[in-house]
Amino acid sequence: MAQDSGTRTLISPAQLRRGRGRAIYWTLLVVTIIAFTLVFLGPLYWMVTGALKSGQEIAQTPPSLFPQDPQWRNYTDAWNNLDLAKLLFNTFYYAAGAVLFQLVLDTAAAYSLSKLRPVLGNVILGLMLATLMIPAMVLIVPQYVTVIDLPILNLSLLDSPFAIWLPLVANAFNIFLLKRFFDSIPEELMAAALVDGATPLRTLWSIILPISRPILGVVSIFAVTAVWKDFLWPKLVMPSPETRTVSVGIYAFAGGTPMNVVVAASVIAAIPTVILFLIFQRNIMSGLTTGGLKG
């Protein structure tokens, strides 16, 4: 007899067709969805509504669910008082540089490990992946010592964008992600390019990169969000007010600024990354899943 090849679940289709089983299933599903929605969207809702409250209302206990008298001028005050235009420009500049450095250097590293296969390539990849097990906080001190006195050159990178760009270049996760994607590209394409006389660099530029646009988009988004959300490292290496990122700038003004204005500034700072995700969410999913497909 042929066995049922359907997908097995915790609740069988027969139980779902019964009145009680269907009620339990939908109850658990609705409760789970509501719980996860509150956990993930609760802080975001508080931030958006808090930006429209007055100073007294945002500080009251218990907090109100809706602004009693929406204060839209909080956004104007945040933009002007915290000089958000300068902070956003700095962050965009650092993020663009991080994207450029990671696309060039991480792609070259992943391509060499995947297609050129150097001697001890697997050992090098294993050592890079081992660094993912090291907590980021452990690396803060040696990275900072390196930045304030760059070896050999004896230069200080404080208040220089390279203090943010260079530590982001050696990103083991992105190199591994790119390598897995490159591994899925058929070797026949590489062989055909070799027969046509293409050099490895020409093969990378003309064949590998056009195919790899989805994963390159994912790496770019990861680089942007890493710069945008980072706080401790930019605070250490960008002490000057003129070079601060948006997260450090908002923190610097938080002490003498009303809380509702600070929350409004946080909303403005979060908008670019939300827009970026909404525009490229399809590319993120395709880039993360295509690398696991062969052929």
Side-chain angles (χ1 to χ4, degrees), residues 54-66:
S54 63
Q56 294 82 1
E57 185 179 1
I58 198 174
Q60 74 180 23
T61 303
S64 58
L65 292 178
F66 306 98

Side-chain angles (χ1 to χ4, degrees), residues 103-151:
L103 287 182
V104 173
L105 300 178
D106 288 2
T107 299
Y111 175 68
S112 63
L113 291 172
S114 174
K115 298 303 182 183
L116 303 183
R117 296 188 177 92
V119 178
L120 301 178
N122 290 332
V123 176
I124 296 174
L125 178 63
L127 292 175
M128 285 194 300
L129 294 179
T131 62
L132 296 176
M133 301 296 103
I134 303 175
M137 292 298 102
V138 176
L139 301 176
I140 290 292
V141 173
Q143 285 182 348
Y144 184 75
V145 172
T146 303
V147 164
I148 61 177
D149 187 12
L150 196 64

Side-chain angles (χ1 to χ4, degrees), residues 40-78:
F40 287 103
L41 297 183
L44 182 62
Y45 174 79
W46 184 91
M47 181 176 67
V48 173
T49 57
L52 297 175
K53 297 178 181 178
S54 63
Q56 294 82 1
E57 185 179 1
I58 198 174
Q60 74 180 23
T61 303
S64 58
L65 292 178
F66 306 98
Q68 298 174 359
D69 183 19
Q71 307 287 322
W72 294 101
R73 67 174 181 272
N74 291 341
Y75 289 101
T76 305
D77 294 340

Side-chain angles (χ1 to χ4, degrees), residues 16 35-36 38 46 77 86 90 100 103 110 116-117 149 152 170 172 182 190 197 208 222 224 226 239 283 289 293 295:
L16 288 178
F36 276 91
L38 292 176
W46 184 91
D77 294 340
K86 177 63 175 177
N90 290 343
L100 178 62
L103 287 182
L116 303 183
R117 296 188 177 92
D149 187 12
I152 301 176
F182 294 162
M190 303 292 297
I208 302 298
F222 284 172
V224 171
N283 301 72
T289 56
L293 302 178

Side-chain angles (χ1 to χ4, degrees), residues 88 122 152 225 238 285:
L88 289 172
N122 290 332
I152 301 176
T225 54
M238 297 294 178
M285 297 307 299

